[in-house]
Amino acid sequence: MPQVTVTEQLLIHQKESPMATGRVTRLLNELILAAKIISREVNKAGLANVLGFTGETNVQGEKVKKLDEFANSVLIYRMERSGLLCAISSEENADLIQVPDNLRHGDYILIFDPLDGSSNIDVNVSIGTIFSIFRRTKNNGPVSLEEVLHKGSEQVAAGYFLYGTSTMMVYTTGNGVHGFTLDPSVGEFLLSHPDMKIPETGKVYSINEGNHDYWDQPTRDIVSWFKSQDNHRKKPYTGRYIGSMVSDFHRNLIYGGVFMYPKDSKDSKLNSGKLRLMCEANPMAFVIEQAGGLATDGEKRILDIEPHELHQRVPLFIGSKNDVLKIMEIYGNN
Ligand code: AHG
Ligand code: MN
Ligand code: MN
């Protein structure tokens, strides 16, 4: 099989997808460089205590950054200098980040979760970076919050990097989903999963079942349905939950299944779910729809939700079409 790089693939799709302009291609290439740097450091994470990745002071008297802070600063530093962005929003920063005046500006807005699954960093379990790209509607000046609070359906590109047994990039520009694997010997992401499609009915359900007592009754009914022999498969689904959404999502995308993070009563502040609409749910929803699956908050399509704040939380049910439809049916009947 000829080895297709991300750039080659993007150039092919530039012709077919109106959203994939040359600038989006350049933007994704800048993201790839940042992700390669993060991947290199993630690979050393097992040596954290040896190398001093602990948030403590190193031998030079410098404060050594934790991996999630490191990933966040690499992304902000590199992407601010891409010349293609006007504003950035990160899960780790409370406010919108304006590209400084002394740097070249573009008309794209980047929203990301620098390291998803951060509780898994210290235990050598797969983690990831999630990204979402919008185009600015106005032309110049500082970017207002209203300009960033767009529905997910307006994303021009989205995807994730998975730092797993291999490092992968999965992205969409609205013309299918394409997966690449980093070949460390040449330092390039090579096309390994062309035109990814999620099976229409899955085999796996992924949820933090420890929250059972905090769920409402319809959520309990949904999980019971997946575990029962009376579901549409006539046999129980397999339970799989890593605790890194990127990793759970990626497995379900390939094998078929559904990832769920419903609202619960564990924390009254988080009564609308744990995951963030703009940096987690929207990009994954864009990917899953392009792969033939669905993403909902239980009632509404994720990509149709009008955000009212940058760090808005949302219940999320995402994966194989028939499984998500069943979830919506159970919620709809309650
Ligand atoms: P983050 O590490 O970016 O804060 O996100 C963690 C998210 C998501 O990746 C994961 O699926 C979920 O939190 C796990 O939460 P629980 O530990 O509550 O199950
Ligand atoms: Mn996350
Ligand atoms: Mn995170």
Side-chain angles (χ1 to χ4, degrees):
M1 184 168 108
Q3 299 198 318
V4 178
T5 65
V6 185
T7 312
E8 285 164 347
Q9 176 81 1
L10 283 163
L11 290 171
I12 295 166
H13 281 276
Q14 233 171 272
K15 297 193 189 90
E16 297 163 11
S17 167
M19 291 203 267
T21 65
R23 277 169 303 152
V24 171
T25 300
R26 274 169 49 211
L27 194 45
L28 290 174
N29 270 315
E30 294 291 338
L31 270 174
I32 286 169
L33 178 55
K36 284 182 191 167
I37 297 169
I38 297 167
S39 174
R40 187 190 63 199
E41 297 304 313
V42 168
N43 286 337
K44 292 194 293 203
L47 295 166
N49 292 331
V50 185
L51 300 175
F53 241 174
T54 54
E56 282 158 18
T57 307
N58 70 11
V59 283
Q60 286 89 27
E62 298 158 344
K63 187 113 170 121
V64 180
K65 283 190 172 159
K66 288 186 179 155
L67 204 49
D68 42 2
E69 290 168 17
F70 173 84
N72 195 38
S73 30
V74 167
L75 279 160
I76 294 172
Y77 183 89
R78 293 228 54 87
M79 299 313 294
E80 271 184 345
R81 283 160 180 76
S82 66
L84 299 157
L85 298 178
C86 49
I88 297 173
S89 171
S90 163
E91 184 216 279
E92 301 290 340
N93 296 66
D95 298 319
L96 188 63
I97 302 163
Q98 304 282 340
V99 173
D101 285 343
N102 60 329
L103 297 175
R104 209 148 48 86
H105 284 219
D107 54 2
Y108 289 94
I109 297 164
L110 172 68
I111 303 172
F112 60 79
D113 177 355
L115 268 192
D116 175 70
S118 37
S119 67
N120 284 322
I121 293 174
D122 293 340
V123 287
N124 231 332
V125 172
S126 302
I127 46 183
T129 297
I130 308 174
F131 62 90
S132 161
I133 299 168
F134 287 92
R135 185 143 184 212
R136 190 178 191 188
T137 41
K138 286 192 203 150
N139 287 331
N140 42 37
V143 182
S144 67
L145 193 54
E146 288 64 44
E147 281 183 87
V148 180
L149 298 176
H150 281 293
K151 292 188 291 192
S153 57
E154 290 168 36
Q155 292 170 103
V156 294
Y160 56 87
F161 294 91
L162 172 64
Y163 312 110
T165 42
S166 305
T167 295
M168 281 197 69
M169 177 194 191
V170 173
Y171 82 91
T172 183
T173 52
N175 193 6
V177 176
H178 310 287
F180 297 78
T181 303
L182 181 64
D183 180 340
S185 64
V186 291
E188 281 276 10
F189 282 95
L190 301 173
L191 184 61
S192 51
H193 296 68
D195 199 17
M196 299 173 86
K197 292 287 173 219
I198 185 167
E200 285 204 346
T201 303
K203 299 186 176 91
V204 170
Y205 76 101
S206 310
I207 191 165
N208 182 347
E209 224 163 331
N211 291 332
H212 178 275
D213 284 2
Y214 301 113
W215 295 335
D216 58 18
Q217 194 53 46
T219 305
R220 291 179 194 173
D221 292 346
I222 285 163
V223 175
S224 299
W225 185 86
F226 281 109
K227 291 157 72 169
S228 120
Q229 293 180 27
D230 295 326
N231 59 33
H232 54 201
R233 292 180 73 223
K234 300 287 172 231
K235 54 182 175 187
Y237 281 58
T238 296
R240 290 279 185 272
Y241 191 73
I242 297 171
S244 297
M245 182 180 50
V246 170
S247 315
D248 281 308
F249 177 97
H250 185 73
R251 181 203 51 242
N252 293 356
L253 172 60
I254 291 173
Y255 290 159
V258 63
F259 174 89
M260 305 179 262
Y261 211 113
K263 65 176 183 203
D264 62 51
S265 61
K266 189 160 74 175
D267 182 342
S268 55
K269 290 197 294 283
L270 301 184
N271 199 26
S272 48
K274 177 183 181 185
L275 300 177
R276 296 108 180 145
L277 174 62
M278 304 223 39
C279 68
E280 293 178 316
N282 269 343
M284 296 314 231
F286 192 14
V287 171
I288 210 74
E289 286 200 2
Q290 285 293 316
L294 292 173
T296 174
D297 67 356
E299 291 169 21
K300 247 203 272 141
R301 180 183 177 225
I302 292 290
L303 296 179
D304 284 337
I305 298 175
E306 296 273 3
H308 48 81
E309 55 178 294
L310 212 44
H311 294 284
Q312 184 169 330
R313 313 263 180 164
V314 70
L316 179 64
F317 304 86
I318 187 164
S320 292
K321 187 173 148 198
N322 293 334
D323 301 334
V324 177
L325 286 173
K326 184 68 198 178
I327 291 167
M328 293 175 78
E329 183 192 313
I330 295 176
Y331 275 120
N333 290 337
N334 281 275

